[in-house]
Amino acid sequence: MCGIIAAIAQQRNVSDALLAGLARLEYRGYDSAGIAVADSSGELQRIRRVGKVQQLIDVVEQLTLSGTCGIAHTRWATHGALTESNAHPHLSGTVAIVHNGIIENYRSLRQCLQQQGYHPTSETDSEIIAHLLHWEQSQLAHTNGNVQPKNPLRLAVQQAIPQLQGSYGLVAMDSRFPNYLIAVRCGSPLIIGLGKDAYFVASDQYALPPDVNQVVFLQEGDLAEISAQHFKLWNSQGEPVVRSAVAMLREIHSDKGNYQHYMQKEIHEQPLAISHTLTGRLLADRVNLSELGPAAIQCLEQVEHLHIVACGTAYHAGLVARYWFEALAKIPCEVEIASEFRYRKPVTRRRSLLLVLSQSGETADTLAALRLAQGMDYLGTLAICNNPGSTLVRESDWALITHAGREIGVASTKAFTTQLVLLLLLVVHMARHRSISAQQEQAWVQALTKLPENLQQLLSIEVKVAQLAAQLVTDRHILFIGRGVQYPIAMEGALKLKELAYIPAEAFAAGELKHGPLALIDSHIPVIVLAPQDELAEKLQSNLEEIAARGGRIYWLADSALTWQGSGVMTRLKMPSIVSPLLAPIAYVIPLQFLAYHIALLKGHDIDQPRNLAKSVTVE
C-alpha cells in the first residue's frame, strides 16, 4: 500500500534519505512515486513519476533537488488512474502533503473548495487535503488581520481534521515555514524516527535510515509538530501528550542472493523461518507460551469458543486452524473475513476469545474488526502477527509474534506458514488440559521439532513443480480441490495463482463437486488435487473418479504411499511422507507456492510486485 517518508534536518540535504526510504518501501506495492523538498529560502521543488522508484531517482539525479525539509510518497491507486497528476505529493500554493488512506467525503469538500476558487488538477481524494489546508491558513491570516500565527500550518491542520471523514496518515509542509512538519494519524499508521541530526516521519519503520535508533509510535488521533531538534504531540482532544520513544527494531536487509526473486528466496527460507517461530516455544515435552504472561494463560484456560478474524492469506490460515482447534483441542471455532465481520452485527459467544491474524499488523479491515470487538463481550483479544511494533499488536490484549523475518514479496509465503505453526502451538497449548495427554503433547513437540528439517527436504520438489508449471502455463482457468484441512490450502493455492500468474483459479471442497462445480469439468480444465494420506483419502479418490469420468485433467499432489485406483488420465507429483496428517497443510502449500511462482516466471510477470496489489493493505 501507499508509503510515506518525510524528513527535517538541521543542516543536511534530506533528498537522498527520502529517496532511499522510498526504495525501502517498494516491497509494499505501488504504482507511482514522488518527492517534494523545501530549502531555507522557501523554494518548493516537486518531482513525480509513474512506475518504479528508480525512475524517480534517475530524474532527481539529473536535477538539483536540495533542502532540509521534505516529504515523499509511493502511491497505490484508490482514486484516479495511474497518472503523474494523481501521484503524491499534492500541492496547493506553498502547502504540500502526502497521504495514506481514503477521505470518504472528498467529493463534497471538493465542491466547497471549488466554490472558493480552487481548481484541483488530479482525480484523487488526497489533493483536497492540500487545498483545504491552504484555505484554512488563508482564513487564519484573515482572522488575525493578515498577521501570520507562529505555526499557521499546525493550526490549519487542527481546523481541517474535524472536516475530514475517513482514514488518513498525513504529513504536511509549507515552504514558507521549512522549519517544521505536521503529521496526523487517523486510522493509518505513522511513526517518528529520531536520527542524529534529523527527525523522520514514516508509515513503516523499514523506510527509516540506518542512523535512526529510536522511534515514537503515534497513537490514534495524535497530531505531531516536528522540527529538526524536537517534536511536540497533541492527542485527539487537542491536549499536549508525551509518547515514549522505543528502540528501533533492526533487521539486516539482505538481497536476493542467488535467487531470481524475493518470493523464491522466501519460499526457500520457510524452514529457517519456522525454526525461528519455534525457538523458545518448545520444551522437551511440552509447548511453552509463557511469553503471553499469567493473565493470558489464565484466559486460555477459560476459553469455550474461538473467533478468528483475518483477511486474504491470513484468513486461509485461520480456516486451517479451525480444523485443528476443533479436532485436537475440542474447542468450537469460527473464522470470518474481517471486512465482513466489521459490517454485520455479530453476537459474542459465551467465553469467546477473539484471534486476529495479520502479517503486517496494519491491515485496515482487521484493525477495524479488532476495535469493534473491544466493545463486545470477549474474554480478550489475541493477535498473531509478524510485526511486533504494529498497531494490531499494540492494540490487542496479547500477542504472539511469528518471527518470520521481513517478507518482501507481495504474495505471502513464509508469513503464512509461520502463522500456521504458531496457531498449531496455540492449539496444542489449549488442548493440554482439555483433550490430550502429556504423552500426546510430547509427540506433537517431537513432530514440530522435526518440521523445519522435513520441510528443507521438501524444497527439492521445486524442480518437478517447475516442469509441471510448463504444462499449465497456457491454461486459462485452473481448479484446486481438497478435503478437510486441505480445502483451505486449495484456497491458498488458487489465491497465489491469481496473485502472481493472473490466471482465474477457484478452489472447491472435493465433496462439493457434484453440487455444481462438475459443470466446469472438461478436457480443457486442469484440476490440482491435494491428497495427503489421511482418513479422507478414499473419499477423495471417489471425487477424482467423478472428474476423470468427465474427461478432466487431473494433477495429483499425493502422498507417496497412495496409489491411483481409477481409470482416468492423471499426472502425479509425489509428496514425501514426512509429516503427520495434521501437519500436512504446512507441507502441501509449498508446492503450490512454487507452482504459482514458476507459472508467473514463464509468463514474464513482475513476481515480487504483482499488478494492482500491495503488501500491506492499509485502506478499506
Side-chain angles (χ1 to χ4, degrees), residues 27-28 204 206 251 266 309-315 317 356-363 366 383-390 392-393 400-419 614-617:
Y27 80 101
R28 293 167 65 99
D204 187 322
Y206 293 123
E251 182 180 330
E266 286 155 5
V309 175
C311 299
T313 287
Y315 170 67
V356 282
L357 313 182
S358 170
Q359 178 265 326
S360 68
E362 304 295 351
T363 307
T366 308
I384 291 182
C385 184
N386 192 37
N387 182 359
S390 66
L392 192 75
V393 169
L400 291 169
I401 307 303
T402 57
H403 302 303
R406 186 181 180 191
E407 187 178 68
I408 296 174
V410 166
S412 183
T413 53
K414 64 179 181 177
F416 175 68
T417 50
T418 52
Q419 280 178 346
K615 186 64 178 172
S616 179
V617 184

Side-chain angles (χ1 to χ4, degrees), residues 365-586:
D365 285 316
T366 308
L367 284 171
L370 171 66
R371 290 162 182 163
L372 174 65
Q374 287 168 341
M376 301 168 66
D377 192 25
Y378 286 99
L379 286 175
T381 57
L382 172 61
I384 291 182
C385 184
N386 192 37
N387 182 359
S390 66
T391 306
L392 192 75
V393 169
R394 296 198 310 275
E395 294 190 7
S396 297
D397 294 325
W398 309 290
L400 291 169
I401 307 303
T402 57
H403 302 303
R406 186 181 180 191
E407 187 178 68
I408 296 174
V410 166
S412 183
T413 53
K414 64 179 181 177
F416 175 68
T417 50
T418 52
Q419 280 178 346
L420 289 178
V421 168
L422 196 45
L423 283 163
L424 186 54
L425 289 173
L426 183 62
V427 170
V428 175
H429 172 90
M430 295 182 72
R432 178 181 300 152
H433 302 299
R434 291 175 169 88
S435 57
I436 64 173
S437 65
Q439 291 76 17
Q440 288 172 315
E441 182 173 4
Q442 185 175 16
W444 277 109
V445 168
Q446 292 172 353
L448 285 164
T449 301
K450 294 177 182 177
L451 182 61
E453 180 184 347
N454 292 338
L455 295 183
Q456 189 66 45
Q457 298 173 29
L458 180 59
L459 293 176
S460 62
I461 205 170
E462 181 177 8
V463 175
K464 294 180 180 178
V465 174
Q467 295 169 354
L468 178 61
Q471 300 177 43
L472 299 172
V473 68
T474 59
D475 286 299
R476 300 181 63 183
H477 302 86
I478 296 179
L479 304 183
F480 292 75
I481 66 170
R483 293 203 73 140
V485 74
Q486 290 295 333
Y487 173 42
I489 298 302
M491 296 171 68
E492 176 64 11
L495 177 62
K496 286 291 161 284
L497 200 63
K498 286 179 279 197
E499 288 177 320
L500 297 168
Y502 316 149
I503 294 176
E506 287 192 80
F508 296 104
E512 282 295 293
L513 289 175
K514 61 180 69 68
H515 298 290
L518 276 179
L520 298 172
I521 301 299
D522 61 24
S523 60
H524 301 292
I525 298 287
V527 183
I528 312 295
V529 181
L530 307 182
Q533 176 68 285
D534 60 19
E535 70 277 6
L536 294 173
E538 289 186 6
K539 295 286 186 183
L540 182 62
Q541 290 209 24
S542 297
N543 302 135
L544 298 189
E545 284 292 337
E546 296 169 355
I547 298 170
R550 288 155 181 84
R553 290 161 50 201
I554 298 172
Y555 295 86
W556 204 34
L557 275 65
D559 189 286
S560 57
L562 292 179
T563 57
W564 172 248
Q565 304 294 333
S567 56
V569 177
M570 182 268 296
T571 300
R572 175 171 180 152
L573 183 66
K574 286 189 177 182
M575 292 287 291
S577 300
I578 55 174
V579 295
S580 68
L582 277 179
L583 284 173
I586 303 169

Side-chain angles (χ1 to χ4, degrees), residues 270 416-417 420 489 492-493 584-594:
Q270 288 177 110
F416 175 68
T417 50
L420 289 178
I489 298 302
E492 176 64 11
I586 303 169
Y588 274 71
V589 76
I590 291 176
L592 301 185
Q593 295 168 348
F594 277 135

Side-chain angles (χ1 to χ4, degrees), residues 300 303-326 329 331-342 344 346-349 351-358 365-366 369-370 373 378 380-385 392 416 419-420 422-424 426-427 430 488:
L300 293 179
V303 169
E304 296 179 4
H305 173 265
L306 284 156
H307 195 172
I308 299 176
V309 175
C311 299
T313 287
Y315 170 67
H316 297 157
L319 290 174
V320 172
R322 177 178 64 183
Y323 286 90
W324 288 339
F325 277 116
E326 295 187 347
I331 301 174
C333 178
E334 61 182 305
V335 187
E336 192 157 3
I337 298 170
S339 57
E340 293 296 317
F341 173 81
R342 64 181 291 195
R344 67 179 184 86
V347 176
T348 311
R349 302 284 187 90
R351 294 186 178 275
S352 182
L353 174 70
L354 183 77
L355 286 181
V356 282
L357 313 182
S358 170
D365 285 316
T366 308
L370 171 66
Y378 286 99
T381 57
L382 172 61
I384 291 182
C385 184
L392 192 75
F416 175 68
Q419 280 178 346
L420 289 178
L422 196 45
L423 283 163
L424 186 54
L426 183 62
V427 170
M430 295 182 72

Side-chain angles (χ1 to χ4, degrees), residues 55 132 206 294 415:
Q55 294 175 257
L132 181 60
Y206 293 123

